[in-house]
Structure formats: C-alpha cells, structure tokens
Amino acid sequence: MKLRLQSNSIRLRLKKGEVAQLIKENIVEETIEFGNGQALRYCLQVSYNITAPQAYFKQGEILVKVPHEMSTSWALSTQIGIEGTQQVAGQIQLHILIEKDFACLNGNEAQNVDTFPNPLAGTKC
C-alpha cells in the first residue's frame, strides 16, 4: 500500500492483493522503519460504525477507517477511489482519498506487479 501526504491530504493506493486482503481481513497495514526503534505505521481499516472515511494519528500510527459498505462496493466494482473530507480544526479539513493502484504505462514489469490494468493510455505515474 502506498502512502502519499501532501498539504492537508492523505492518499492510500492499494494493489489488487491488498484490496482483496482488505475485504477478507478488514485491514491492510504497512510499517516504515527508521532505525533506533522509530517507525511509522499506517493502516487502512474497514469499520461498521462510520458513514464516511476518517483518519487519525496517534503514537506514530496513521489509521484511516473506511465504511464497510463503501469499501465493499469499491472493491467489487470498477470504481477507482473513495474520497472524503474530515473537519480537523476550525475551518481546516483533511482530504482523504483511497484508490486502486493502476499500472504505470511508463513503468517496468516489477513496478506494475499486482496493479490494476490502466484504463488510460498515455497516463504517466
């Protein structure tokens, strides 16, 4: 699962196997090790108790929750992503995007392993 942070947004991209894991196990997670016991863990978790995507950060962990119904319809369709916003403070919003990871048309086979077929010819990653 790829993680992208930019401005006040978080984006997760999942390969085919990760989408299947999310539906089967209700969670996909990754850890980035920095050494000296420091790590950043990020998770995508299915929740039955929410109606829109939500994100949290606590003790070196980013947790993004997605509603069960949204995750199932997304995983089993050609829908590319799930998008939401979360009010975080005053007028500040966090933009949350969960997407299927498509093959890079200019990428090599190793980069495109387990990705979704790219529907857009000429797209660069």
Side-chain angles (χ1 to χ4, degrees):
M1 175 170 58
K2 296 177 185 175
L3 169 67
R4 181 176 180 189
L5 304 170
Q6 184 177 1
S7 299
N8 222 46
S9 68
I10 183 168
R11 181 167 83 182
L12 299 172
R13 281 191 177 171
L14 285 77
K15 293 185 176 194
K16 286 183 196 178
E18 294 163 334
V19 171
Q21 178 184 338
L22 182 68
I23 297 307
K24 182 179 179 184
E25 300 175 16
N26 290 333
I27 192 166
V28 177
E29 56 189 311
E30 294 282 345
T31 302
I32 301 170
E33 298 288 342
F34 292 95
N36 296 323
Q38 299 292 313
L40 172 66
R41 181 173 176 252
Y42 56 103
C43 302
L44 176 61
Q45 183 178 48
V46 173
S47 176
Y48 292 85
N49 303 321
I50 59 174
T51 58
Q54 298 177 357
Y56 308 90
F57 180 74
K58 185 177 180 181
Q59 298 176 336
E61 178 179 299
I62 297 170
L63 173 61
V64 176
K65 291 186 176 184
V66 63
H68 175 262
E69 209 170 284
M70 278 185 181
S71 65
T72 302
S73 75
W74 167 70
L76 300 176
S77 71
T78 58
Q79 179 182 344
I80 295 170
I82 298 170
E83 192 169 9
T85 56
Q86 174 180 321
Q87 202 71 25
V88 291
Q91 298 294 330
I92 300 172
Q93 291 186 332
L94 174 65
H95 183 241
I96 302 166
L97 183 59
I98 303 155
E99 297 177 310
K100 293 174 180 169
D101 192 16
F102 290 98
C104 294
L105 297 178
N106 58 342
N108 61 41
E109 284 186 44
Q111 292 171 316
N112 290 333
V113 169
D114 197 33
T115 56
F116 290 87
N118 195 320
L120 304 174
T123 299
K124 300 203 183 228
C125 295

